[in-house]
Amino acid sequence: MLLRLLRLILVFMLVISASPSFEAMAQALGQGSIGLIADQQKAIQGLSAKTDDLEKKIQQDAEDDASLVDIRLQLEDLSRAALTSALAFRTRLTDINNRTEVLGPPPAAGQPQEPDIVTGERQALASEKAEINSVVASAQNLSIRISGLVDKIGNMRSALFRNLLTKRYVLSDALSSQVFADAQEEYANFYKAVSSWLSFAFKFKFQAILAATFVALGLALVLLVGGRRLFGRVFEADPANEDPSYLSRLSVAFWSTMLPTLAVGVFLASTVFFFNYYNVLRGDIGVFLNALAIAIGVIFCVNRLTNAALEPQLPNWRLIPVETGAARWLVRLSTAMAVVISVNTFLSVVNDKMGSPLSLTIARSFVATIVVGIILILMAMLRPFRARDGSWRPWPAWLRYLALALGLFTIIAALLGYIGLALFVSLQVVVTGTALITAYIGFLSARAIGEEGAFANTTVGRWLSTHSSYEDTALDQLGLVVSVAINLLIVLVFLPLILLMWGFQPGDIQAWAYKLATGINIGSVTISVTGILSGIVVFIIGYFLTRWFQGWLDGSVMARGKVDTGVRNSIRLAVGYAGVALAGLVGISAAGIDLSSLALVAGALSLGIGFGLQNVVSNFVSGLILLAERPFKVGDWIVAGDVSGTVKKISVRATEIETFQRQSVILPNSNLINNAVGNWTHRNKLGRVEIKVGVAYGSDVKQVHALLLEIARSHAMVLKNPEPFVLFSNFGAAALEFEIRVFLADIMNGSVVQNDIRFAVLERFNDQHIEIPSTPRAVVEVNKPKAWPTDDDKIEADFAEQEQAKVEAAAEAKKLAKSGRKARKPDPS
């Protein structure tokens, strides 16, 4: 109660002190909100009117699948606009809620009244919020209505597709004599339309036709010639190569199909585009030309694919090991099937545009499906393989029966009057089959390129190996990148094509692509391809910027400053880890992933990390300590337990030490932190080495001491300060023991100095006749076995006497036992 009273007093004082400005600000905000509400109400009314028009259009174009797809795209745009109108009030609603919370709830009965200005402000905010909620509700209702219309369009399109496949036609009218008369009339009308356009075009648009044709031809040639230059020998089969590899055959089959088809497609598409650009085409002629371009592209692609995969002229380059005669027949039959389907599709466009009788359309489609079915049966009946005994073998059972089933199905469906179903199956056999086979060859080629060492044997790999510094490992990794890129290219090219062949419209693919790019909601998680790609790109940019900054800092700043190598390595590693971590965080944020959710996941996994990754975390923390504290650095000579060598690399998990036998030892950082480590070059490379020397007893020890000291002082690498020292260390068992102690500026030269001094000691001792005793040898006594006796008769006699004495002693003991007398003990004397 006291707190509430204090808050009311504070609000009252603020109102009294700044009531004019407060009222002016509230009035300004209210007017701005009123204007926003009016604008969004007007926008929503316009969206509702457009929705009404599109709903009427749905009923008008109920039989046109392409028009329904276009209407659906427009409705989805309206839905997004409605949601945008609703989101326009988000900031204003937040401000209203915050101000309402500051004002607090109205006083209850029996409590002091609040100032009138506070009451008026609260009522104004509530009224404004109610108006905003009304507009937001209208936008949400409009979005729900549009979603219902989109679902309705989907159901209508499904019904159209089912009706197309299940509709049965009467063949008696389509196969009558009237059909031939209709066909002749149709041909005459088509010829008249095309000839009139040609005469007009060559008379008034001849220069535009030439310009458009040459530009389109130039684009196609650039693609074709550039492809040949880029891919070289993977573009065409080499007749001189009698034993090409599987990768070579796959690459030739794929690229010799892909690039020429793309070149022809670019030529046809560019021709149509520039004809439209220069106003060469008439409405009906433009439709005919588009259909003709598609037909030519399909025929060329099928012919190019079958020739590339079967190679009738080059048996060694065939992907399918069939005989030459069978390969030629397969190419002819496949091309004939493509011609039949493409011509039928072109004529269907002509018939639709010119309003041909339905009987003519049925007859044309009936003939096309029957021909395709017969071709499929002929292909299934081929015997393309030859056994070792010379007999001909058919296709594998599954492939032969599949082709027979498809051929018989199209013929039977056409004979029963299901022309739409038969035509659909025929079209999918040709177009979808071609696309799937080409894509499959591409996938096989990508997989072969991605295998270990395969990319280095390609033309591009050999060129990179010759003209660059790439090693085999780098080329192998580049091959994996190329393999992934080819797979993505195949998916992006062939997936939309196959979807279009299966009855989907370009609008469907556009809508799916938009949803995939903007985000797919799975529960509370939104997956956005665009966001993921953006995050990856941001991380890659951050990674390369970090590497560049590391190189610049190390090579341009620290190298010029004569910074120690170990310090440079520590700073470079710390900058690298920090940069990569920062790039990862920025990339995750750019991908649209909420870092707070990652914090929750990290908290949930902390217990598991604590138990399961104790050593990893310990080594990681130890590595950070080593980089910060720097008890040793790269290039130092350290001794850690049984390991002695030079530090080559310090990472956050382990340290690499190279022993003097050139063995790389990877020591976990926790071992270096928890155990004693000796560092010969911690602060500097100054160090002391010892050389032990022994002389024989009786030698002049003063002379030996003087000689050893002179030898140590005369070496060039021995420091004068601290000066060398010779210690008379011990009276040994076999020698008088001395120890030479010298200091070196670089302890890494210790072995060299020890070697030189030992040679000098031997040389000077020989000159002065000073003996260096050798280690005394131990005297080993050998136990010789007893000599083998040579008198066997004597041994046998002694053995017989011993046995006789034993028998007599036993008999005597037996007699004494019977008589009850004790045996006499021998005389002790």
Side-chain angles (χ1 to χ4, degrees), residues 353-377:
K353 192 65 179 178
M354 302 187 70
S356 303
L358 180 60
S359 58
L360 185 59
T361 302
I362 297 174
R364 169 184 48 78
S365 302
F366 175 79
V367 173
T369 53
I370 293 295
V371 172
V372 170
I374 293 173
I375 292 175
L376 283 172
I377 294 173

Side-chain angles (χ1 to χ4, degrees), residues 385-420:
F385 305 107
R386 187 185 290 273
R388 294 182 179 179
D389 57 357
S391 60
W392 291 93
R393 293 166 46 206
W395 295 104
W398 68 270
L399 183 59
R400 183 170 72 254
Y401 292 141
L402 178 61
L404 282 172
L406 289 174
L408 292 173
F409 180 82
T410 54
I411 293 174
I412 293 172
L415 292 175
L416 292 176
Y418 295 100
I419 303 297

Side-chain angles (χ1 to χ4, degrees), residues 711-734:
I711 292 171
R713 289 173 175 173
S714 63
H715 198 282
M717 293 185 183
V718 174
L719 295 178
K720 301 298 187 289
N721 186 21
E723 64 178 5
F725 178 74
V726 176
L727 175 67
F728 187 0
S729 60
N730 191 24
F731 294 96

Side-chain angles (χ1 to χ4, degrees), residues 91-150:
T91 304
R92 182 56 184 160
L93 284 174
T94 303
D95 294 339
I96 292 174
N97 292 330
N98 292 335
R99 292 173 66 183
T100 303
E101 184 178 356
V102 170
L103 295 176
Q111 293 183 349
Q113 295 294 325
E114 62 184 1
D116 294 339
I117 189 171
V118 176
T119 304
E121 178 66 15
R122 182 182 293 105
Q123 292 175 355
L125 291 175
S127 176
E128 182 182 351
K129 186 175 182 180
E131 292 181 1
I132 292 176
N133 288 334
S134 176
V135 177
V136 171
S138 300
Q140 292 176 348
N141 292 333
L142 180 59
S143 178
I144 294 172
R145 178 189 173 193
I146 292 174
S147 299
L149 293 177
V150 170

